[in-house]
Amino acid sequence: MQYLDHLAIIALAALIHASFQLSVSMLTLMSGHALGKKTSHSRLMRLSGSFILGAALMVALLLSFTAVILQNTLETISPIIWAATAGLSIGVGVAVWLFYYRYRRAGTVLWLPRPLASYLEKRAHQTTYGAESFSLGLTSVIGELIFSCAPVLIASLILVGLPAPLQIGGLALYVFIATLPLFIIYLLIGGGHSLAKIQRWRETNKRFLQFIAGSALITLGVFLYVDTVFSNVIMTGGRL
């Protein structure tokens, strides 16, 4: 794969990450509670900005930490590792199709266990300071690691094979795309758009986002398998 192909895969992995909804849900929930408390617009924007900063930092830390671990533990990325990663991507894609939303619930209720969901909702309701909002942003990214691990691992494996300047560019590209929905909501809130309209759009399009995220993970997994495993088997005469 050429460098442009590498960056395109990183961008696709980041788009898949961006389609997950826990951070978006937490941001809208926190903003809704803040508005319910008659929080000033400027303070609401500071809280939202701190949340996004925390989420972006955690995405960057997860991706860079995974890439460093891979770079320091693997001499080469063998087809077997690519095969396992492709299998993980396909498996997570199927899980997104089946389990991401609670089908019997109205609204945009996610897969989260109820105790964890209640804890996060309580945290969002009690957030009044920037530091609390920042930590909530960090937590929202960690809470969805069970699904985001696949795109993060794929992007990390790609980053390891890039020159240092492109590694930094690829990291920045992933973080920007993965947190883009949060920036969009931030701009919508700043422009005076109603949170109810934002939530209604999310509820209307949740099945589409779920289908796209699962399908993209499966497609990316199949592509990686064909490109890095199947083609290698053909070239080496059946040896991995």
Side-chain angles (χ1 to χ4, degrees):
M1 290 185 287
Q2 301 300 316
Y3 291 148
L4 285 179
D5 297 330
H6 292 156
L7 293 176
I9 292 174
I10 291 174
L12 177 56
L15 280 171
I16 295 169
H17 196 149
S19 68
F20 297 142
Q21 295 292 299
L22 182 56
S23 292
V24 172
S25 294
M26 296 308 302
L27 178 58
T28 55
L29 187 61
M30 183 195 70
S31 301
H33 285 313
L35 289 173
K37 297 175 182 177
K38 307 297 182 182
T39 303
S40 66
H41 185 72
S42 60
R43 186 174 183 81
L44 173 61
M45 297 308 294
R46 287 196 297 270
L47 289 174
S48 299
S50 296
F51 180 96
I52 295 171
L53 182 61
L57 177 61
M58 182 52 67
V59 172
L61 288 175
L62 283 174
L63 183 58
S64 57
F65 177 76
T66 305
V68 168
I69 293 297
L70 292 172
Q71 196 165 30
N72 289 332
T73 56
L74 300 177
E75 293 184 4
T76 59
I77 302 175
S78 68
I80 294 177
I81 294 174
W82 281 116
T85 303
L88 175 66
S89 182
I90 293 171
V92 172
V94 173
V96 169
W97 273 353
L98 297 177
F99 307 119
Y100 194 72
Y101 287 105
R102 290 176 175 259
Y103 284 91
R104 297 181 184 275
R105 302 289 187 90
T108 54
V109 181
L110 299 178
W111 56 274
L112 293 169
R114 291 305 90 194
L116 177 58
S118 298
Y119 168 75
L120 292 176
E121 184 175 358
K122 182 180 178 181
R123 284 283 310 277
H125 182 72
Q126 295 176 343
T127 297
T128 55
Y129 298 102
E132 295 172 329
S133 178
F134 179 83
S135 66
L136 191 63
L138 296 172
T139 305
S140 70
V141 175
I142 297 174
E144 202 150 50
L145 195 56
I146 189 173
F147 290 112
S148 62
C149 63
V152 167
L153 178 59
I154 291 170
S156 298
L157 286 170
I158 296 294
L159 284 177
V160 168
L162 295 177
L166 283 181
Q167 287 181 344
I168 296 174
L171 174 64
L173 177 66
Y174 188 98
V175 172
F176 173 74
I177 295 176
T179 55
L180 186 57
L182 300 178
F183 283 109
I184 293 174
I185 291 177
Y186 178 85
L187 293 176
L188 290 174
I189 295 173
H193 289 77
S194 169
L195 280 174
K197 290 183 179 179
I198 297 173
Q199 181 62 20
R200 192 156 51 245
W201 184 92
R202 290 183 59 229
E203 183 172 355
T204 301
N205 295 278
K206 66 178 183 178
R207 299 302 177 210
F208 173 76
L209 293 174
Q210 180 182 14
F211 175 78
I212 289 297
S215 299
L217 277 168
I218 293 171
T219 301
L220 184 55
V222 171
F223 170 79
L224 289 175
Y225 184 85
V226 172
D227 189 74
T228 61
V229 181
F230 186 71
S231 60
N232 183 273
V233 170
I234 293 177
M235 293 176 60
T236 58
R239 299 187 303 276
L240 284 178

